[in-house]
Amino acid sequence: MKILSEKKGHFGLFGGRYVPETLIPALDELEKAYNEAVKSPDFNIALSYYLKNYSGRPTPLYYAENLTRTLGGAKIFLKREDLNHTGAHKINNTLGQALLAKRMGKKRVIAETGAGQHGVATATVAAMFGLECEIYMGEKDMERQEINVFRMRMLGAKVTPVKTGSRTLKDATNEAIRDWVTNVKDTHYIIGSVVGPHPYPAIVRDFQAVIGREAKRQVLDIEGRLPDYVVACVGGGSNAMGIFYEFIPDKKVRLIGVEAAGKGIETGEHAASINAGSIGVLHGSKSYILQDEDGQIIPAHSISAGLDYPGVGPEHAYLKETGRATYVAVTDKEAVEGFKLLTKTEGIIPALESAHAVAFLERLSKVTTKEQTVILCLSGRGDKDVYTVSKHLNGRFDG
């Protein structure tokens, strides 16, 4: 992990702090605590302990032989973040931020959640570390992720429905920020993605970068060389930044983020902020967002609650602007086909978020060779999405 400074609060044009003045002291306090923590042997030993013994790291890098044979292109490896405790990569960040919260003497944590995986991960670490916990979740997302709502409540968290706006992740984030402004003295806000004001995008990235460090070491052990492609789904973009970050200096490794095209970008009902958005400010930082001519946020749409967000982390915007990463988009229909493909070929039910990346592999396989390799970050498991997929398919998996 790297030491942060005020001067590093931007990624080119992107990032920064666009927040009420009342939050600046809290952000300064967080940055100072983080900088001290990453220099502390005790903090790093504790984080490593919990990642290994509580979450189950390192996660495997699995050669998906059946999927590779079916698609016929490059060798496909899956970085199995779905095998983490709580079923997604979200636990990497919540463990780190919960340890930070304790170092800062905070007694209460709050979070926003879309698909519920970040909410569950936050509720989980709050239960373990004895922290009061409140999760903000859009009413629409609570309906489509009912099981995760129940899990959070079982873990002792208060789940507060957000009934404003589109009743999804954007609105839950708005409410969490309002709570933090009001209760910043004793409350730490555990942001779930690489978004928000400095220093959050860098902190979340650093806690998720364990994914890429492990993947690089594992692929070198297995293949003896770096991969040709690294692919990950992108909503806010935490799992993608987590696996991309270690490979950024390796210019021959192509980094590809997969956004949600929803019902099709041409319909306007999508969540493809990089592919179809413009530069603006959302939730405290500058990045690509979905907005109208007056700068008002346009509601996002995706079959995946975790990608249903009208913005993207500022570092992704920077990677796009510099050409270091490429961002494509996959529709709801294609994502469901990706969901079915991985389930049938490998016996692995992916989260709908990850299914977007799986679906893209079919396109990628047409331009790759058997001598090349791809690592796909399987960010989470799909138990939470089975009902959504069943509803989409009218109860017929082959339909």
Side-chain angles (χ1 to χ4, degrees), residues 26-27 29-31 33-34 93-112 118 122 125 131-135 176 179-181 183-192 199-200 203-204 207:
L27 292 169
E29 178 193 22
L30 175 61
E31 183 176 11
Y34 178 74
N93 171 51
T94 56
L95 280 168
Q97 290 209 45
L99 286 169
L100 262 182
K102 288 182 68 72
R103 281 178 66 92
M104 291 187 290
K106 307 291 185 181
K107 305 296 184 186
R108 177 175 179 262
V109 294
I110 60 171
E112 84 297 332
H118 175 57
T122 301
V125 298
L131 298 164
E132 182 185 348
C133 181
E134 183 166 0
I135 306 295
D179 182 316
W180 196 38
V181 171
N183 302 294
V184 68
K185 188 173 181 180
D186 69 347
T187 297
H188 175 62
Y189 178 15
I190 301 182
I191 288 183
Y200 273 111
I203 288 177
V204 177
F207 286 141

Side-chain angles (χ1 to χ4, degrees), residues 75-294:
K75 291 178 73 174
I76 299 167
F77 291 87
L78 304 176
K79 183 57 178 164
R80 297 291 307 275
E81 291 301 293
D82 59 312
L83 295 181
N84 272 305
H85 178 45
T86 72
H89 71 293
K90 296 294 186 180
I91 193 76
N92 305 324
N93 171 51
T94 56
L95 280 168
Q97 290 209 45
L99 286 169
L100 262 182
K102 288 182 68 72
R103 281 178 66 92
M104 291 187 290
K106 307 291 185 181
K107 305 296 184 186
R108 177 175 179 262
V109 294
I110 60 171
E112 84 297 332
T113 196
Q117 291 301 97
H118 175 57
V120 169
T122 301
T124 297
V125 298
M128 181 180 64
F129 289 121
L131 298 164
E132 182 185 348
C133 181
E134 183 166 0
I135 306 295
Y136 290 92
M137 191 169 188
E139 194 174 47
K140 178 181 175 182
D141 290 338
M142 289 181 70
E143 291 170 2
R144 53 182 173 175
Q145 298 294 345
E146 185 178 350
I147 295 298
N148 272 344
V149 174
F150 189 66
R151 290 170 73 191
M152 286 182 265
R153 287 174 171 157
M154 285 176 63
L155 290 159
K158 178 183 178 183
V159 183
T160 299
V162 177
K163 302 179 181 180
T164 56
S166 58
R167 300 176 295 131
T168 58
L169 180 57
K170 169 182 71 72
D171 310 290
T173 306
N174 289 341
E175 290 305 313
I177 291 174
R178 288 192 185 100
D179 182 316
W180 196 38
V181 171
T182 305
N183 302 294
V184 68
K185 188 173 181 180
D186 69 347
T187 297
H188 175 62
Y189 178 15
I190 301 182
I191 288 183
S193 194
V194 285
V195 299
H198 172 70
Y200 273 111
I203 288 177
V204 177
R205 176 203 65 201
D206 288 351
F207 286 141
Q208 293 293 1
V210 65
I211 304 171
R213 287 196 299 273
E214 287 179 5
K216 177 182 276 189
R217 185 170 67 246
Q218 291 166 324
V219 75
L220 287 173
D221 286 345
I222 297 169
E223 292 289 295
R225 67 182 184 90
L226 294 174
D228 296 283
Y229 296 87
V230 174
V231 179
C233 63
V234 175
S238 64
N239 91 95
M241 275 313 307
I243 195 164
F244 285 178
Y245 193 55
E246 181 71 15
F247 292 99
I248 287 175
D250 304 308
K251 303 299 184 186
K252 291 184 178 178
V253 179
R254 293 189 59 183
L255 309 176
I256 301 178
V258 185
E259 293 191 304
K263 296 179 181 178
I265 288 180
E266 70 283 357
T267 69
E269 295 185 63
H270 59 81
S273 303
I274 293 181
N275 279 280
S278 56
I279 297 173
V281 172
L282 176 65
H283 296 143
S285 67
K286 183 183 289 185
S287 187
Y288 280 97
I289 62 175
L290 302 181
Q291 59 185 333
D292 63 19
E293 293 178 351
D294 297 321

Side-chain angles (χ1 to χ4, degrees), residues 16-24 27 177 180 196-198 283-285:
R17 288 178 175 176
Y18 298 85
V19 296
E21 287 186 10
T22 51
L23 279 183
I24 296 298
L27 292 169
I177 291 174
W180 196 38
H198 172 70
H283 296 143
S285 67

Side-chain angles (χ1 to χ4, degrees), residues 259-265 303 329-336 356 363:
E259 293 191 304
K263 296 179 181 178
I265 288 180
I303 191 172
V330 160
T331 65
D332 290 348
K333 185 177 179 181
E334 289 174 302
V336 171
H356 284 70
R363 294 185 212 167

